[in-house]
Amino acid sequence: MKLIDPAIHEGFLNCATNNAWSDRQNFWFSFRNGQDTSNKFGTRFFDLWCETGQSSVHRARFLDELVALVPNELAHFGKKLDNAEDKVDHVVLHFEDGTTAKHSAVIGCDGVKSRLREVVLGKDHPAAKPVFSGKYAYRGLIPMEDAAALMGDELARNSQMYFGHGGHILTFPIEKGKTMNVVAFSTKEDGKWDDEVWVVPMDKGAMFKDFTGWTDSVQKCLSMMQKPDIWALFDHPPAPTYTKGRICILGDAAHAGTPHNGAGAGQAIEDALCMSRLMRLVYDGVDIPRAFAAFDRVRRPRSQRQVQMARDSGWLYDLQLPGYMDDWDKIKQMLEEKQNWIWNHDLEAENKEAERVFNEETSKL
């Protein structure tokens, strides 16, 4: 965020919530065995250090911060894309309200159900649409004072992750510590999600059945969730390209993944940084496809790896990852290593590589 514009990072900090305790500021999560009933809070077996610690924002509030940085005359909201036509030297956008817009290029950030992904790949391409990951999540909120009374300050006000067979549970503070967010993941045994709707009202009986045998505090925590619902988790099969002519996709439109690495939004921000560095090299419209091709060549391998690794993390947390299952020593070793390639990536080196690829292609002309 700082490399794009320090004001973006400032906006993030304005609405971010971190772990409450001073000695937990540099930890992502404390990991616990949620089915170890010898300890009512689940036995803690590992703490994962990271530079920033667990940090989260309410998406709508952060978007408000971002929108405030965009000049009013450049933004038009309330539009839904129907189609896009690449006319070689420009792109025409067709919206569902019957209006059109003409631009030199289009960068699609239209999310996991991206229409522009279908335009780039073709509507019938096997990677054009998201697929069900086999996981779903119960999501709800608990007032922090109630959560602290149940679990104690340490567990309620600092991020925790509980592992178990077939599921895992995250708890962490949001809204500047006023609320505890609860996300309880489970496995759809048949691997299918037949409902066209991805977010549905919660069946509390089904939730408690999913977490039968878990610790007492986990059971009580689930019973206290307010405004609960169920989210089906979808991700994208790897696309063979993120670009076609003067159209390019980034963020979830290009590589939507499951949330198990806490890295999906971060990948979109990395995309934006790389794209901004490339577009500053474009002085003529004919160079736009080369900038998009350089973006695709540099960003696609890393972002698609994140999608697969996020899937693997979900199976790891649910004690279902082949080769690891419920071998706690192997799980701990994986937790120690698996985030490093995400967190310690050299973004400036990546940007230089993207610029090199762009210049290399330009020099061939």
Side-chain angles (χ1 to χ4, degrees):
M1 288 185 275
K2 289 178 182 177
L3 290 171
I4 300 171
D5 187 334
I8 293 175
H9 186 243
E10 290 170 13
F12 175 84
L13 295 180
N14 287 341
C15 46
T17 300
N18 298 80
N19 286 333
W21 283 22
S22 59
D23 64 349
R24 309 306 296 172
Q25 293 302 303
N26 294 113
F27 288 94
W28 189 44
F29 278 95
S30 292
F31 295 92
R32 297 174 176 273
N33 180 344
Q35 293 177 317
D36 182 0
T37 55
S38 66
N39 182 327
K40 68 176 182 177
F41 298 119
T43 301
R44 185 171 71 187
F45 66 91
F46 184 61
D47 292 334
L48 183 55
W49 186 95
C50 72
E51 183 180 351
T52 62
Q54 162 65 16
S55 186
S56 59
V57 294
H58 189 289
R59 185 174 309 201
R61 294 191 179 97
F62 185 38
L63 285 173
D64 286 341
E65 296 279 349
L66 296 178
V67 168
L69 301 175
V70 179
N72 289 337
E73 65 271 17
L74 297 184
H76 301 273
F77 297 103
K79 294 286 187 179
K80 187 170 183 180
L81 186 71
D82 179 58
N83 196 18
E85 293 181 284
D86 191 332
K87 300 292 189 179
V88 183
D89 63 345
H90 67 277
V91 180
V92 177
L93 298 174
H94 298 267
F95 298 101
E96 290 192 352
D97 62 5
T99 61
T100 61
K102 176 183 173 181
H103 292 284
S104 300
V106 173
I107 300 172
C109 312
D110 49 341
V112 63
K113 297 181 181 181
S114 170
R115 177 68 184 97
L116 279 167
R117 182 184 181 91
E118 295 178 344
V119 172
V120 169
L121 299 180
K123 209 165 188 176
D124 296 326
H125 191 282
K129 296 185 184 298
V131 295
F132 181 53
S133 69
K135 302 290 183 182
Y136 57 93
Y138 303 97
R139 299 182 61 177
L141 307 172
I142 301 176
M144 184 57 76
E145 295 306 317
D146 294 342
L150 169 67
M151 309 178 75
D153 264 11
E154 180 183 3
L155 271 66
R157 300 184 190 276
N158 303 292
S159 52
Q160 312 291 320
M161 192 182 303
Y162 302 83
F163 287 14
H165 292 89
H168 70 281
I169 299 172
L170 312 182
T171 65
F172 53 90
I174 59 172
E175 298 179 331
K176 299 296 184 181
K178 296 177 183 177
T179 305
M180 186 174 82
N181 191 36
V182 182
V183 190
F185 297 87
S186 194
T187 305
K188 193 83 161 46
E189 295 299 337
D190 64 3
K192 299 177 182 178
W193 189 269
D194 297 322
D195 199 322
E196 290 186 3
V197 179
W198 294 3
V199 181
V200 296
M202 180 192 293
D203 177 345
K204 277 207 168 186
M207 178 180 68
F208 287 122
K209 183 178 179 181
D210 281 347
F211 293 95
T212 299
W214 288 58
T215 64
D216 181 61
S217 65
V218 164
Q219 302 277 353
K220 290 180 178 177
C221 178
L222 295 176
S223 70
M224 294 171 64
M225 290 167 63
Q226 298 180 357
K227 302 178 181 178
D229 45 29
I230 304 173
W231 293 57
L233 302 181
F234 283 71
D235 59 12
H236 278 145
T241 182
Y242 290 168
T243 184
K244 181 181 180 182
R246 291 190 176 218
I247 301 173
C248 191
I249 51 176
L250 63 75
D252 273 4
H255 45 75
T258 50
H260 307 303
N261 284 338
Q267 288 296 304
I269 294 167
E270 289 183 13
D271 283 352
L273 171 63
C274 182
M275 183 66 78
S276 68
R277 293 293 179 87
L278 284 165
M279 291 307 290
R280 73 181 183 181
L281 304 177
V282 174
Y283 293 95
D284 190 299
V286 298
D287 291 330
I288 291 171
R290 282 192 290 280
F292 287 173
F295 170 86
D296 175 69
R297 182 167 153 186
V298 171
R299 286 296 304 163
R300 185 156 47 87
R302 172 169 167 79
S303 56
Q304 290 183 345
R305 180 187 177 194
Q306 199 297 118
V307 174
Q308 182 57 53
M309 292 292 285
R311 269 208 178 211
D312 290 347
S313 290
W315 298 112
L316 179 76
Y317 304 159
D318 296 352
L319 310 183
Q320 296 170 318
L321 183 65
Y324 292 85
M325 304 305 279
D326 57 2
D327 186 324
W328 295 99
D329 289 334
K330 284 187 176 181
I331 291 171
K332 181 178 176 181
Q333 182 180 0
M334 172 69 97
L335 291 173
E336 287 176 339
E337 300 170 354
K338 78 179 188 69
Q339 298 290 120
N340 289 339
W341 74 275
I342 298 174
W343 293 343
N344 300 324
H345 184 60
D346 190 336
L347 291 168
E348 286 290 31
E350 178 180 272
N351 294 330
K352 290 178 181 177
E353 173 62 11
E355 292 175 8
R356 186 196 67 77
V357 171
F358 174 83
N359 290 325
E360 179 184 87
E361 292 301 314
T362 303
S363 67
K364 294 177 181 178
L365 297 178

